[in-house]
Amino acid sequence: MPHRIAVLALDGLLPFELGIPQRIFGRSFGTEAHDRGRRLYEVVTCSVRAPGPIRTDADFTITVEHGPEVLATADTVVIPASYELGPVHTEGRLTDELAAAFAHVRPGTRMVSICTGSYVLAAAGYLDGRPATTHWWHADHFQRLFPKVRVDPDVLFIDDGDVLTSAGVAAGIDLCLHIVRRDHGAAVANDVARRTVVPPHRDGGQAQYIQRPVPDPQFSTTITARTWALGRLERPIMLRDMARQESMSVRTFTRRFREEVGVSPVQWLTRQRVERARQLLESTDLSIDQVARDAGFGTSTSLRQHLQAALGVSPTVYRRTFRAGQA
């Protein structure tokens, strides 16, 4: 049976964010010969009360055909943002309707928030003692309201196992694609990303949007250096070599790179190598040692350390998860 995702629609919701789960999960299909074209998720939308109209922040309402009892059947619950959270946003507590709705959620259900939907998860206690993110505009208020939550305002999303949170608006797409990748591998995630005409993975975090959404056109960008590095990930890459591609000093290049991408060149290189390793582990029969060399980590020990830090699993476990039958 398809994995069932229940999207909880709250009054004051943002229509764009409400549509993200249906667009990403609802268009995820099997890509292997044995399940090609099979729908991998079932997406249903529900309310905290009986079926009926839900207000949006636009000049129209939507009609939801399911009540909160649907939450009891969900494998994953997604909570998009709302501008009418009431005491959830002002006092950090659930309304009676929300509390009654959450009572339907089964233990072990995966919980996901998009943008300020994180307020609802925090008020319900799901984020206590855990890392989480939300829209950068609300991060300080969120941290004051929920001091037990370890807020990271710089990332696009956080995967903490059975609880996942995203930053604002389009970061919900990044998170949903990440979940598809986690559940079914890169091939399925890349396929739905192409259908949606979005990148399967965005570099950096929210910082690049807070500081300067669009690089100043009077300055050179670091695109040439990034393209150059991506073409030779398997080889040693020095910071000075990347800076040389842009005819910049190392100091200027590092500052410009962080402004544009949101992370340092070294962090970016590590992420690209992890992604290369994931692709090789999923799509080839290369040995772990060869994957490590081709991804630029040099040794299997280095690959294991970086994959464990980024994903929490070893290369062998990752391959076994996404390639049935592979040791």
Side-chain angles (χ1 to χ4, degrees):
M1 296 293 292
H3 182 104
R4 186 169 235 217
I5 293 180
V7 183
L8 185 59
L10 304 174
D11 281 323
L13 62 83
L14 284 67
F16 177 84
E17 297 184 20
L18 178 68
I20 290 173
Q22 176 61 48
R23 177 67 232 190
I24 302 301
F25 297 118
R27 295 296 182 270
S28 295
F29 303 97
T31 58
E32 299 295 330
H34 68 280
D35 69 347
R36 190 176 304 278
R38 179 174 68 88
R39 192 176 294 276
L40 301 175
Y41 300 94
E42 177 191 12
V43 183
V44 292
T45 305
C46 65
S47 171
V48 295
R49 49 184 179 268
I54 299 291
R55 295 189 302 276
T56 73
D57 75 329
D59 63 343
F60 57 84
T61 62
I62 64 170
T63 300
V64 175
E65 298 182 356
H66 302 281
E69 64 279 355
V70 165
L71 297 173
T73 69
D75 302 300
T76 296
V77 173
V78 180
I79 305 173
S82 164
Y83 283 153
E84 296 182 21
L85 292 177
V88 174
H89 187 269
T90 58
E91 304 172 36
R93 64 174 180 85
L94 295 178
T95 63
D96 291 341
E97 278 187 330
L98 270 172
F102 273 106
H104 291 280
V105 178
R106 296 173 298 172
T109 300
R110 182 166 61 187
M111 306 298 291
V112 178
S113 68
I114 297 176
C115 193
T116 56
S118 55
Y119 277 80
V120 179
L121 289 186
Y126 284 100
L127 301 181
D128 285 355
R130 306 181 79 153
T133 192
T134 191
H135 193 295
W136 62 268
W137 184 267
H138 300 276
D140 289 342
H141 175 262
F142 185 88
Q143 185 66 89
R144 291 194 302 270
L145 195 62
F146 303 106
K148 294 181 180 179
V149 182
R150 304 202 308 272
V151 182
D152 185 345
D154 295 328
V155 296
L156 294 176
F157 61 82
I158 288 180
D159 179 345
D160 196 38
D162 59 341
V163 179
L164 301 92
T165 54
S166 83
V169 197
I173 297 176
D174 298 297
L175 177 55
C176 290
L177 284 172
H178 166 77
I179 292 172
V180 173
R181 174 187 283 272
R182 193 180 99 170
D183 290 350
H184 298 287
V188 176
N190 291 346
D191 179 66
V192 70
R194 283 192 294 269
R195 292 171 182 266
T196 313
V197 199
V198 296
H201 174 77
R202 281 197 294 167
D203 296 323
Q206 294 192 78
Q208 59 188 310
Y209 303 104
I210 299 170
Q211 295 177 10
R212 188 162 60 189
V214 179
D216 192 326
Q218 68 176 305
F219 295 115
S220 301
T221 71
T222 59
I223 292 175
T224 299
R226 280 178 273 159
T227 302
W228 174 83
L230 288 173
R232 51 182 295 130
L233 286 177
E234 74 282 2
R235 308 177 202 175
I237 299 175
M238 305 300 290
L239 185 56
R240 64 174 178 271
D241 296 329
M242 294 184 68
R244 190 177 299 121
Q245 304 305 310
E246 305 291 356
S247 300
M248 297 181 188
S249 68
V250 169
R251 181 176 180 179
T252 299
F253 175 78
T254 301
R255 174 175 56 80
R256 189 71 49 71
F257 194 101
R258 185 178 287 278
E259 289 174 351
E260 292 180 13
V261 181
V263 295
S264 72
V266 173
Q267 290 172 315
W268 178 84
L269 269 174
T270 299
R271 290 182 182 182
Q272 303 314 307
R273 285 174 164 151
V274 167
E275 288 304 309
R276 173 70 61 82
R278 291 173 69 169
Q279 294 168 7
L280 294 172
L281 289 169
E282 291 181 27
S283 61
T284 74
D285 295 317
L286 295 174
S287 68
I288 300 300
D289 286 334
Q290 188 61 54
V291 169
R293 288 192 290 272
D294 289 355
F297 288 117
T299 67
S300 58
T301 299
S302 178
L303 170 61
R304 188 176 300 108
Q305 291 172 342
H306 282 94
L307 210 65
Q308 188 73 43
L311 307 177
V313 297
S314 69
T316 301
V317 170
Y318 185 85
R319 170 170 275 172
R320 184 184 300 124
T321 300
F322 290 109
R323 299 196 70 205
Q326 292 294 330

